[in-house]
């Protein structure tokens, strides 16, 4: 048995499927937005907040959250700032390339009917699962807030459509927060954790969702602890 098929065999307990990259787009200096078409359409799109394990290079598994999905395809945001195996695969993959995926794995769902506002914290590609959760909050009629950290304005994924959503739906507030914004940037600067200190009452009366790399999730969790945030209202998807 080849190494590729051996590694694939380890995953055979999970449902898997083959897809083809149909669109790939660079966002800023560190994100590749990749759309993968399913070979067979499905009756309902992948669950909100789920992730898939992609077999990069045919045999190197890497997990990516599903950002948008319909019955024929789904879109991932892949950070390639670290330059690891998964990052390089998706950074360089061309339209037409095949990808085997395992999943979807649904362990970061949107919580309906809690009656509380939703506050989403992310950096960079951590915004992926929140793209569809924001739509759900709008549909549910609860207030929602996205605090999204990025180095520069050009690194903010879904920037145009999130700005448009916040204009059309006053219940949704979008706060891109830049750590290295250009002098012309007039929005928030600094780190997403700054918003916790500035808005402790909003945090305590909301459901908090956090998604991204471990240092960011730990920073947000620590600061939430400092303001006495109830743990049962915190939901985390750690990228590692
Ligand atoms: C549930 C879940 C969902 C996720 N969703 C996303 C998502 O939506 N988007 C996303 O971008 N990521 C996501 N991740 C993280 C993703 O799965 C990868 O872990 C991440 O992209 C890094 O993988 P990589 O192959 O690029 O780097 P790896 O190869 O795993 O390397 C990790 C780091 O080590 C460094 N490194 C690797 N090899 C060497 C070496 N020989 N010498 C020195 N340094 C080295 C790399 O620079 C890199 O920064 C998710 C993770 C989980 C668990």
């Amino acid at each position: 048995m080849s190494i590729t098929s051996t590694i694939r065999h380890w995953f055979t307990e999970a449902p898997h499927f083959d897809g083809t990259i149909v669109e790939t787009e660079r966002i800023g200096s560190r994100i590749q937005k990749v759309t993968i078409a399913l070979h067979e359409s499905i009756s309902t799109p992948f669950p909100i907040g789920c992730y898939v394990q992609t077999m990069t290079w045919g045999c190197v598994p890497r997990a990516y959250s599903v950002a948008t999905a319909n019955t024929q395809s789904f879109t991932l945001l892949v950070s390639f700032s670290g330059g690891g195996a998964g990052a390089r695969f998706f950074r360089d993959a061309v339209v037409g390339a095949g990808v085997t995926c395992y999943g979807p794995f649904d362990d970061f769902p949107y919580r309906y009917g809690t009656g509380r506002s939703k506050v989403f914290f992310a950096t960079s590609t951590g915004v992926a699962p929140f793209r569809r959760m924001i739509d759900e909050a709008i549909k549910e009629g609860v207030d929602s807030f996205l605090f999204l950290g990025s180095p520069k304005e050009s690194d903010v994924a879904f920037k145009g459509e999130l700005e448009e959503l916040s204009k059309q739906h006053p219940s949704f507030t979008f706060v891109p927060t830049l750590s290295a914004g250009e002098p012309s940037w007039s929005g928030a600067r600094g780190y997403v954790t700054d918003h916790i200190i500035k808005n402790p009452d909003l945090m305590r009366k909301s459901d908090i969702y956090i998604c991204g790399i471990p240092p960011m999730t730990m920073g947000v969790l620590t600061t939430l602890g400092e303001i006495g945030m109830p743990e049962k209202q915190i939901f985390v998807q750690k990228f590692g």
Side-chain angles (χ1 to χ4, degrees):
M1 196 184 270
S2 74
I3 182 75
T4 305
S5 49
T6 303
I7 293 172
R8 281 194 180 154
H9 181 70
W10 294 342
F11 284 86
T12 48
E13 296 289 310
H16 60 281
F17 58 92
D18 291 315
T20 301
I21 295 177
V22 287
E23 215 175 312
T24 177
E25 176 196 343
R26 180 72 47 90
I27 298 175
S29 59
R30 54 183 72 201
I31 300 175
Q32 200 74 27
K33 183 180 176 194
V34 180
T35 299
I36 299 175
L38 303 165
H39 288 181
E40 285 170 30
S41 50
I42 49 178
S43 53
T44 48
F46 288 170
I48 290 164
C50 74
Y51 72 92
V52 290
Q53 280 282 0
T54 58
M55 298 302 274
T56 65
W57 307 103
C59 64
V60 183
R62 288 290 183 268
Y64 295 102
S65 297
V66 171
T68 63
N70 58 38
T71 54
Q72 275 121 43
S73 66
F74 61 97
T75 297
L76 311 175
L77 296 177
V78 178
S79 165
F80 55 80
S81 53
R88 280 182 285 115
F89 176 80
F90 282 109
R91 181 194 64 193
D92 300 335
V94 294
V95 167
V99 189
T100 298
C101 304
Y102 287 77
F105 301 100
D106 183 17
D107 63 356
F108 190 50
Y110 178 89
R111 271 78 178 174
Y112 293 92
T114 69
R116 287 185 285 269
S117 309
K118 311 291 179 195
V119 174
F120 303 110
F121 285 101
T123 46
S124 183
T125 53
V127 69
F130 299 147
R131 178 62 197 84
R132 288 199 291 164
M133 289 193 192
I134 290 160
D135 291 341
E136 294 310 292
I138 291 170
K139 280 188 222 155
E140 241 203 324
V142 296
D143 287 341
S144 60
F145 302 80
L146 171 62
F147 298 107
L148 174 56
S150 290
K152 294 183 183 297
E153 191 175 356
S154 56
D155 297 315
V156 179
F158 298 121
K159 181 168 176 289
E161 58 188 87
L162 290 168
E163 283 171 346
E164 197 49 43
L165 265 185
S166 70
K167 273 188 214 148
Q168 285 172 10
H169 302 279
S171 66
F172 169 54
T173 306
F174 177 39
V175 190
T177 303
L178 305 186
S179 57
E182 309 291 351
S184 58
W185 172 249
S186 59
R189 290 175 186 273
Y191 297 100
V192 289
T193 44
D194 303 341
H195 300 292
I196 301 171
I197 306 296
K198 286 183 196 154
N199 305 287
D201 292 340
L202 167 68
M203 302 300 149
R204 283 189 289 257
K205 66 175 192 183
S206 302
D207 290 334
I208 309 278
Y209 292 74
I210 310 166
C211 184
I213 53 173
M216 186 280 293
T217 56
M218 294 315 295
V220 173
L221 285 171
T222 303
T223 315
L224 287 173
E226 286 165 7
I227 62 152
M229 182 75 205
E231 279 181 24
K232 67 176 174 45
Q233 287 164 232
I234 304 176
F235 309 102
V236 182
Q237 178 74 283
K238 250 195 253 171
F239 281 5

